[in-house]
Amino acid sequence: SRESGSAHVPAAPAATVADPTATLGARSGRSEAFRAHNTRSTAQESMAASGETRSYAQLAAALFAQNQFAIKYDLDAMRAACVAVGLDRRPIAARTVLIGGTNGKGSTSALLNAAAMAAGLRVGLYTSPHLIDLRERIRLSGQPVGAEAFAAIAWGLYDRFGAPDRSLETPRPLTYFELLTLTAFDMFASAGLDLAIVEVGLGGRLDATNVVEPDVSVITSVSLDHQALLGDTVAAIAAEKACIARPGRPVVVHRSSGGHTELIAALEPH
């Protein structure tokens, strides 16, 4: 199962859509330079100033110990952390696609990433889970981010928002999935991306990835999954997943996909 940063018990009404004014900031022009693997974010500059040299292996161990499968039923902490690191003022890419669904969202994300790269776009891809290495989740131009840059940024975010003696900028410590999501968004925002492709972890409405403001949302299919968290009917689960859509912006579904009827009903108010 996925280690989502947040999900929902019981299902929300279909009309409950994440407020676009509460998501990450409006788009701005893309960066002139594509500063991929060695880009320094605010968190990384802080690490450099402190002289800390903790390793990637130590970071992985710390993150795995950070309530790896914890689920929190709100976006308040994730939104507060995004604002604290300036992601309300720094879009993660010129354009963002948010991809959810019960099955097929990982393969859809990978296919869209390949197509965008073939078209010459600078692309960031965030998916979960990983097979071997945490950095598989965060890719720039098709490659996992560098271990040194990832460790520097993620350590700074862990110390600030995840550690027991963290600051009080968020109402609670971030979970494992939230910290990884925040790391990906911070790295993407510094990389001058044409396109960010973000795969939802679990559900949609209260998943940590749903703090972004997507230009396009994709829902691949809906069937019974994570029923204790998302609801015990396809209609209830469709209502959760429909909340990655934004009013007035495109959402892509397929008429032959599972749960299509329930999903269209959930999307109609949007």
Side-chain angles (χ1 to χ4, degrees):
S1 65
R2 297 197 180 263
E3 338 73 321
S4 176
S6 40
H8 175 54
V9 183
T16 306
V17 173
D19 179 0
T21 63
T23 55
L24 301 190
R27 297 295 184 273
S28 63
R30 76 183 67 144
S31 299
E32 293 298 322
F34 184 47
R35 305 180 302 277
H37 303 309
N38 60 351
T39 299
R40 300 177 76 86
S41 71
T42 302
Q44 191 173 355
E45 294 290 354
S46 175
M47 289 288 293
S50 69
E52 296 183 60
T53 57
R54 290 169 294 179
S55 71
Y56 171 70
Q58 290 173 309
L59 170 67
L63 288 174
F64 283 134
Q66 186 72 14
N67 299 319
Q68 183 178 357
F69 298 103
I71 295 173
K72 300 298 182 183
Y73 307 124
D74 65 79
L75 290 178
D76 293 345
M78 187 67 184
R79 283 184 177 137
C82 286
V83 170
V85 298
L87 288 174
D88 57 329
R89 303 181 303 277
R90 296 185 296 143
I92 66 172
R95 294 289 183 268
T96 298
V97 178
L98 184 59
I99 301 177
T102 301
N103 294 304
K105 58 184 176 289
S107 55
T108 300
S109 299
L111 288 167
L112 180 58
N113 180 67
M117 288 179 56
L121 299 182
R122 303 163 179 171
V123 187
L125 175 66
Y126 179 60
T127 59
S128 61
H130 62 278
L131 293 177
I132 299 171
D133 192 302
L134 278 172
R135 295 175 299 115
E136 296 169 24
R137 297 170 180 244
I138 309 173
R139 295 177 180 266
L140 293 169
S141 291
Q143 298 300 315
V145 293
E148 183 178 350
F150 174 79
I153 294 169
W155 266 128
L157 296 174
Y158 171 83
D159 288 341
R160 191 169 174 184
F161 305 114
D165 58 347
R166 66 188 176 86
S167 70
L168 298 179
E169 295 172 284
T170 57
R172 58 168 173 78
L174 297 189
T175 66
Y176 168 85
F177 185 77
E178 288 171 330
L179 284 166
L180 287 171
T181 302
L182 185 62
T183 300
F185 291 171
D186 194 29
M187 297 188 84
F188 286 177
S190 299
L193 297 176
D194 297 304
L195 178 66
I197 301 166
V198 178
E199 180 193 6
V200 172
L202 187 157
R205 186 173 70 92
L206 292 176
D207 187 77
T209 60
N210 202 31
V211 298
V212 297
E213 180 66 13
D215 295 278
V216 177
S217 301
V218 179
I219 305 173
T220 57
S221 68
V222 179
S223 58
L224 295 177
D225 70 312
H226 300 287
Q227 290 164 260
L229 301 171
L230 303 179
D232 57 6
T233 67
V234 172
I237 294 169
E240 287 294 307
K241 297 184 187 297
C243 288
I244 69 170
R246 297 293 185 268
R249 296 198 175 186
V251 56
V252 180
V253 300
H254 195 284
R255 67 181 60 189
S256 67
S257 63
H260 175 264
T261 300
E262 293 86 350
L263 183 57
I264 293 301
L267 287 167
E268 280 180 350
H270 312 328

